[in-house]
């Protein structure tokens, strides 16, 4: 058990340190890389509590897809680092307020988990299956039965968000030449090649 | 003290020995894959290939390695030193750690975890960071363009690989790679899922930045793409990582579609041969196909590459997921069905 405890403290410490560095590092590219490190350690923590499916999905989705796009955008930005640092004190109260709200909400969640009257019910509802079932299957069994409507609703919201993003950025430009593979494949000799008998000295 | 030895030291020593038993042969295979590649492509182009160093040129990979080792490591003045050195290490490490879940034979696997397939998928989706970091830290236009191309390409083909993997998981009913191989005892998934097999193979080519999708390295336009500024061992690590990734993707093709360590037919002369040998034979065949493709096809144009990924493979694999799920449910062929 001591190894698990050591691993927990290592993951937790590095996750928090990386989180601090995301905010504190001067170079935005370094910030994104520290964010990735934080994701990694969070996923390590998931593995430690036996939620290996969520751990892997966290890496595939956040590190493999979301953070790549972050990195893409941040690298392409032309940033003046000195300018970026200015106004730090102006934004500090807003940032502190948001941080406080998040902390308070987290406290409510933990409170409901530990001290509320239905605490035992909440715990029971979230851990319905025996330990011998792999947690991928356990997740599937609860997600597609008890929470199927919420799951579908989340899917629909994501779909709408995706369509919205496409609609917002889509603009049709005039005069853009596009390749039409089907047309190219459908071409035949008769409509593209013409054999002309040319009299010498006269041209076509 | 004795308990400490039994509880901690001994298991650690066993795991280290197992890791070495995978990594050392893997690195030797990587070295000889380069030799194999040069010989195969030479034969296809009616040349002889390397034949000077050692008998049949067999020592050529060692000579190449020694040459890279003694060269000077150059750090460009404008580069971001830390990331510049970390990038090749990251690529190399990622190409090795995915091997932890690959089953070489019945029970011959370092970590037989429940979510082996997801682990592989997670690791392979990280490879793009090594490339982006290398391109960005080099502070060079060619390297940066190569890195951007590579990132876009790897992310695009990852999506279709994901759907292909989902169809396989639907048919096998498990994310564990050993279970997936065992599920192919009656028929290899390459036969019922033939279109997915082809898509997976082509996506694997794109994912490993191999010809005809080697745009990130396009030597005729980007010099060498994202690793243009690298020399010596840092360059060698990219090279080793790329070839180890090729072997890894071949191994995954074999595990997902070609029955892993299972013999072709489960009858007398075939099932005398032990599982790992079948596994290596199948990997060698897929690797040969990788090289065959390289010697045969010209490079894709970049917009065509993106079109193939997003407009052809993505809808096709999505459709096939729906078809597979529909067929499995309607014929009652779903594996590992949960009662009720």
């Amino acid at each position: 058990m001591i190894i698990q405890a050591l691993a927990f403290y290592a993951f937790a410490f590095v996750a928090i340190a990386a989180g601090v560095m995301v905010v504190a590092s001067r170079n935005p590219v370094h910030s994104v890389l520290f964010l990735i490190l934080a994701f990694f350690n969070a996923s390590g923590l998931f593995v430690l509590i036996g939620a290996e499916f969520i751990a892997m999905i966290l890496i595939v989705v956040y590190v493999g897809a979301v953070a790549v796009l972050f990195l893409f955008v941040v690298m392409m930005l032309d940033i003046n680092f000195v300018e970026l640092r200015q106004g730090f004190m102006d934004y500090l109260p807003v940032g502190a307020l948001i941080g406080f709200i998040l902390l308070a909400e987290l406290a409510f969640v933990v409170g409901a988990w530990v001290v509320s009257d239905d605490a035992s019910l909440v715990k029971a509802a979230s851990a319905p299956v025996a330990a011998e079932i792999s947690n991928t299957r356990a997740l599937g069994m609860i997600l597609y039965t008890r929470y199927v409507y919420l799951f579908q609703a989340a899917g629909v919201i994501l779909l709408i968000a995706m369509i919205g993003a496409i609609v917002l950025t889509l603009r049709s430009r005039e005069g853009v030449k596009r390749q039409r593979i089907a047309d190219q494949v459908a071409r035949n000799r008769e409509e593209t090649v013409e054999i002309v008998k040319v009299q010498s000295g006269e041209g076509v | 003290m004795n308990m400490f030895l039994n509880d901690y030291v001994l298991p650690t020593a066993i795991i280290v020995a197992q890791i070495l038993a995978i990594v050392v042969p893997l690195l030797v295979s990587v070295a000889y894959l380069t030799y194999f590649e040069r010989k195969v492509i030479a034969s296809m182009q009616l040349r002889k290939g390397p034949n000077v160093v050692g008998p049949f040129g067999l020592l050529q990979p060692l000579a190449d390695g020694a040459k890279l080792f003694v060269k000077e490591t150059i750090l460009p003045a404008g580069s971001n030193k830390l990331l510049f050195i970390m990038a090749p290490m990251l690529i190399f490490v990622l190409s090795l750690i995915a091997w932890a879940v690959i089953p070489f034979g019945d029970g011959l696997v370092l970590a037989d975890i429940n979510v082996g397939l997801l682990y592989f998928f997670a690791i392979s989706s990280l490879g793009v960071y090594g490339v982006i970091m290398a391109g960005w830290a080099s502070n060079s236009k060619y390297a940066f363009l190569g890195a951007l191309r590579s990132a876009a390409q790897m992310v695009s083909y990852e999506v279709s690989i994901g759907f292909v993997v989902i169809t396989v998981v639907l048919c096998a009913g498990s994310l564990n790679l050993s279970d997936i191989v065992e599920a192919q005892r009656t028929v290899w998934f390459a036969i019922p899922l033939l279109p997915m097999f082809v898509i997976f193979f082509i996506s694997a080519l794109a994912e490993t930045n191999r010809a005809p999708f080697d745009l990130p390295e396009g030597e005729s336009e980007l010099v060498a793409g994202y690793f243009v500024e690298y020399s010596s061992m840092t360059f060698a690590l990219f090279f080793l990582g790329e070839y180890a990734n090729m072997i890894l993707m071949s191994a995954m093709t074999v595990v997902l579609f070609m029955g892993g360590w299972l013999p072709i037919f489960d009858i007398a002369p075939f099932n005398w041969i032990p599982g790992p040998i079948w596994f290596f034979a199948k990997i060698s065949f897929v690797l040969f196909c990788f090289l065959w493709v390289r010697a045969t096809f010209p490079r894709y144009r970049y917009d065509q590459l993106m079109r193939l990924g997003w407009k052809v493979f993505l809808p096709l694999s999505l459709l096939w997921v729906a078809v597979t799920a529909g067929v499995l449910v309607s014929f009652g062929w779903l594996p590992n069905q949960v009662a009720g």
Side-chain angles (χ1 to χ4, degrees):
Chain A
M1 284 315 280
I2 190 161
I3 299 221
Q4 271 95 325
L6 285 178
F8 169 77
Y9 285 115
F11 283 134
F13 177 75
V14 176
I16 292 172
V20 171
M21 287 306 290
V22 172
V23 185
S25 67
R26 292 189 159 272
N27 191 327
V29 173
H30 292 175
S31 289
V32 178
L33 292 175
F34 275 115
L35 185 66
I36 293 162
L37 185 62
F39 284 144
F40 254 106
N41 286 283
S43 137
L45 290 174
F46 276 126
V47 171
L48 282 184
I49 59 169
E52 71 262 15
F53 181 79
I54 296 179
M56 294 302 152
I57 289 294
L58 183 73
I59 292 190
V60 170
V61 174
Y62 281 91
V63 182
V66 174
V68 171
L69 295 180
F70 273 12
L71 203 56
F72 239 70
V73 173
V74 166
M75 276 181 181
M76 305 295 265
L77 293 177
D78 187 21
I79 299 172
N80 186 343
F81 294 125
V82 182
E83 211 171 276
L84 200 69
R85 288 286 127 188
Q86 286 169 356
F88 182 74
M89 291 311 289
D90 297 346
Y91 290 116
L92 194 60
V94 183
L97 183 68
I98 292 173
F100 178 75
I101 292 172
L102 282 177
L103 191 67
E105 284 177 347
L106 211 59
F108 286 141
V109 171
V110 175
W113 188 262
V114 179
V115 296
S116 90
D117 299 335
D118 314 327
S120 56
L121 281 178
V122 175
K123 280 181 192 168
S126 59
V129 270
E132 60 260 27
I133 295 180
S134 80
N135 71 53
T136 313
R137 170 171 294 193
L139 212 59
M141 277 162 64
I142 195 166
L143 203 58
Y144 298 122
T145 53
R146 183 195 282 259
Y147 296 116
V148 64
Y149 295 116
L150 290 174
F151 179 74
Q152 292 291 344
V156 170
I157 290 172
L158 282 175
L159 181 68
I160 291 170
M162 189 170 86
I163 294 172
I166 294 173
V167 168
L168 283 177
T169 52
L170 188 71
R171 58 195 171 114
S172 50
R173 284 182 295 176
E174 298 283 314
V176 179
K177 287 190 175 176
R178 288 187 198 285
Q179 185 181 22
R180 291 201 186 83
I181 303 272
D183 289 359
Q184 290 180 342
V185 174
R187 267 158 56 117
N188 54 26
R189 191 164 184 274
E190 280 69 41
E191 57 195 52
T192 48
V193 181
E194 189 185 355
I195 296 175
V196 184
K197 194 86 178 165
V198 181
Q199 292 289 324
S200 60
E202 288 186 9
V204 183
Chain B
M1 191 62 210
N2 201 12
M3 201 190 82
F4 176 76
L5 202 71
N6 278 335
D7 282 359
Y8 295 112
V9 178
L10 205 64
T12 315
I14 290 173
I15 288 181
V16 168
Q18 284 173 330
I19 291 172
L20 285 179
I22 292 175
V23 168
V24 173
L26 177 65
L27 290 180
V28 174
S29 326
V30 167
Y32 278 90
L33 177 58
T34 64
Y35 172 79
F36 184 52
E37 170 166 43
R38 290 166 74 176
K39 277 290 190 192
V40 166
I41 290 180
S43 312
M44 287 179 179
Q45 296 168 347
L46 302 182
R47 295 182 287 113
K48 282 193 169 164
N51 63 349
V52 177
V53 190
F56 307 106
L58 273 172
L59 298 179
Q60 183 71 43
L62 303 181
D64 289 342
K67 183 192 114 186
L68 281 170
F69 206 69
V70 296
K71 285 208 165 191
E72 183 192 353
T73 305
I74 299 168
L75 296 178
S79 69
N80 188 321
K81 301 284 185 305
L82 185 67
L83 289 184
F84 188 79
I85 293 178
M86 263 174 67
M89 289 176 169
L90 186 70
I91 285 199
F92 184 63
V93 167
L94 287 177
S95 69
L96 294 185
I97 58 174
W99 284 91
V101 293
I102 303 284
F104 294 92
D106 199 0
L108 280 179
V109 48
L110 180 63
D112 197 18
I113 56 176
N114 283 331
V115 287
L117 196 55
L118 276 180
Y119 173 81
F120 157 78
F121 199 59
I123 299 297
S124 77
S125 69
L126 296 179
V128 66
Y129 283 107
V131 173
I132 298 185
M133 276 161 66
W136 184 77
S138 299
N139 200 8
S140 149
K141 288 189 179 60
Y142 287 132
F144 192 55
L145 283 173
L148 288 184
R149 279 186 179 187
S150 177
Q153 176 176 332
M154 288 164 106
V155 170
S156 310
Y157 280 85
E158 198 104 297
V159 183
S160 50
I161 286 189
F163 281 120
V164 172
V165 162
I166 288 175
T167 56
V168 171
V169 171
L170 276 175
C171 294
S174 172
L175 287 167
N176 180 307
L177 293 179
S178 302
D179 290 350
I180 289 175
V181 172
E182 281 299 329
Q184 300 179 57
R185 242 181 220 292
T186 42
V187 59
W188 291 1
F189 287 149
I191 294 163
L193 301 176
L194 186 65
M196 292 292 102
F197 177 50
V198 175
I199 288 181
F200 187 83
F201 181 71
I202 297 174
S203 301
L205 287 175
E207 185 77 8
T208 49
N209 292 333
R210 290 287 301 180
F213 306 111
D214 53 350
L215 276 300
E217 301 161 20
E219 74 279 350
S220 47
E221 31 181 334
L222 290 179
V223 195
Y226 56 88
F227 55 72
V228 65
E229 302 291 341
Y230 284 87
S231 61
S232 176
M233 275 319 279
T234 47
F235 171 78
L237 285 181
F238 276 117
F239 212 74
L240 290 173
E242 185 182 329
Y243 278 79
N245 264 333
M246 270 171 70
I247 305 181
L248 178 69
M249 288 311 273
S250 310
M252 280 315 287
T253 314
V254 170
V255 166
L256 293 181
F257 290 103
M258 296 168 70
W261 68 80
L262 301 173
I264 298 183
F265 302 107
D266 201 6
I267 48 172
F270 294 111
N271 56 19
W272 289 344
I273 304 171
I277 299 200
W278 273 114
F279 191 60
F280 293 127
K282 287 173 186 173
I283 289 184
S284 308
F285 172 73
V286 178
L287 280 173
F288 176 76
C289 294
F290 267 69
L291 307 180
W292 192 7
V293 166
R294 179 179 166 187
T296 309
F297 293 111
R299 187 176 293 146
Y300 254 63
R301 215 174 59 203
Y302 199 74
D303 61 319
Q304 291 174 339
L305 172 93
M306 282 296 157
R307 178 183 169 274
L308 185 70
W310 288 107
K311 290 192 177 172
V312 180
F313 282 177
L314 185 60
L316 199 61
S317 49
L318 195 55
L319 177 74
W320 203 266
V321 170
V323 169
T324 311
V327 167
L328 288 176
V329 169
S330 54
F331 286 89
W333 290 341
L334 270 180
N336 287 341
Q337 201 132 30
V338 182

